[in-house]
Amino acid sequence: MDYIKVAENLGFSKDLIVNIYKKISGGYYISLYYAKSPILYALDQWPKKYLGKKFLLWYNSSFDSEIDKIISLFVTLDVKILHKVASILIKQENQDRKEEDDINDVFEEMKKTAEKYGFTYYPQRIEIVVKNSLINELVNDIFHIREREIKNDLYTILGEIAYESEYLTKIKEEKNWIRAIDRKNILKALYLEGKLEEFLSQEKIKIRYLIASRTLIFDKLLLTKGIKETLNDIKDLKNEELKNEIEKLTTEINKRISYF
């Protein structure tokens, strides 16, 4: 099941569904589904997928009555999946009011962005009722992806982030010997070069998302504060619990590396 099939189940035109689906790059479900750790980094700059100038320009030149309904469906799916996964992970019932606030917030962002570009029209929210049976598979997909990341070895994940980073590319230009180091030993190599702290600083936003996910801080915040405020709290490190977890991470990683 994906967003296209859900929309088809609700009786919308497939050609129009696919057209809109492409313009929002598959929505946030597809970004989360294929994301490398940290998974939640795929949400950075939320809800950017719906705010593109080309997308809003296309909307202003299109007059199909189904467009608002399909956009409303895709936004609703993005929000509901995030809320439902959070509620499963922390075993707490999600609040419909918060979901509503998050959906409305995306449409408010589209309105403000369209007006900024000087567009006359912008997507209007139409309430779409989506049965749980239609989205349970999507929710389970993201739940299992998040769960796998939570259970994975933190040292291994950080090594992957380091190995794929632009920061490492620059270090390799300065230190030829690091080019021969494999993924599992890359953090040790950075430590030996005195570059580990700098790496952690360079990738601090990704690391904040990673720790917020693994500790379920993201999920607890989401169900009380909503998506945008939660992401801002994580990126700006406003949450004291997250601050403490980041400090613990830095200490544990340094201990682990220096032990070997």
Side-chain angles (χ1 to χ4, degrees), residues 10-240:
L10 293 174
F12 298 122
S13 162
K14 183 170 182 179
D15 287 344
L16 189 56
I17 294 166
V18 172
N19 194 1
I20 297 172
Y21 181 83
K22 288 178 178 177
K23 291 189 186 314
I24 61 166
S25 302
Y28 282 91
Y29 161 79
I30 205 73
S31 295
L32 291 165
Y33 188 87
Y34 289 107
K36 296 179 180 179
S37 290
I39 304 301
L40 295 181
Y41 189 66
L43 300 176
D44 200 47
Q45 299 184 58
W46 167 278
K48 184 180 179 181
K49 282 176 178 277
Y50 296 96
L51 308 180
K53 189 172 184 179
K54 288 183 179 179
F55 169 61
L56 294 170
L57 178 61
W58 169 81
Y59 180 86
N60 271 258
S61 62
S62 305
F63 300 97
D64 193 304
S65 60
E66 283 195 335
I67 291 176
D68 281 339
K69 293 178 183 178
I70 296 171
I71 294 173
S72 295
L73 171 63
F74 289 165
V75 172
T76 298
L77 290 173
D78 278 339
V79 169
K80 281 187 172 292
I81 288 169
L82 289 173
H83 278 263
K84 288 184 183 300
V85 169
S87 68
I88 294 170
L89 284 168
I90 65 174
K91 299 178 174 61
Q92 179 180 314
E93 191 171 342
N94 61 303
Q95 300 176 35
D96 291 341
R97 181 67 260 164
K98 280 298 175 187
E99 285 186 5
E100 285 293 302
D101 289 345
D102 278 339
I103 293 168
N104 287 331
D105 182 68
V106 174
F107 280 89
E108 185 60 30
E109 289 289 327
M110 283 192 271
K111 175 185 176 182
K112 288 192 290 188
T113 304
E115 289 175 342
K116 182 182 74 174
Y117 291 139
F119 296 142
T120 306
Y121 304 105
Y122 41 84
Q124 301 293 313
R125 184 188 175 186
I126 296 175
E127 189 167 345
I128 302 290
V129 177
V130 187
K131 294 179 181 177
N132 286 335
S133 59
L134 279 179
I135 66 169
N136 281 343
E137 188 177 328
L138 305 177
V139 170
N140 286 335
D141 284 344
I142 303 306
F143 167 74
H144 289 306
I145 289 167
R146 288 277 317 278
E147 185 181 47
R148 187 161 59 246
E149 180 181 72
I150 290 166
K151 291 179 178 179
N152 278 354
D153 176 59
L154 182 58
Y155 186 88
T156 300
I157 294 175
L158 285 173
E160 289 289 333
I161 293 172
Y163 200 82
E164 300 290 339
S165 67
E166 290 182 12
Y167 176 76
L168 185 65
T169 301
K170 293 177 182 177
I171 296 300
K172 285 179 177 179
E173 292 173 359
E174 300 171 11
K175 308 291 180 180
N176 288 336
W177 71 273
I178 290 184
R179 296 177 186 176
I181 304 300
D182 59 18
R183 294 169 187 266
K184 68 179 181 179
N185 292 310
I186 198 64
L187 292 181
K188 180 71 171 179
L190 290 174
Y191 176 81
L192 292 173
E193 278 294 337
K195 298 290 187 180
L196 182 62
E197 293 297 328
E198 191 172 46
F199 156 69
L200 294 173
S201 176
Q202 288 286 322
E203 298 294 341
K204 63 184 179 184
I205 302 299
K206 287 185 178 180
I207 290 169
R208 288 171 189 177
Y209 276 119
L210 176 64
I211 302 305
S213 174
R214 287 173 61 90
T215 58
L216 305 182
I217 290 171
F218 167 82
D219 307 279
K220 289 181 280 187
L221 288 174
L222 177 65
L223 296 188
T224 56
K225 290 190 165 190
I227 297 170
K228 188 164 70 173
E229 194 172 344
T230 293
L231 296 176
N232 287 337
D233 278 8
I234 292 169
K235 287 187 287 186
D236 297 338
L237 203 58
K238 293 178 181 177
N239 182 271
E240 286 300 321

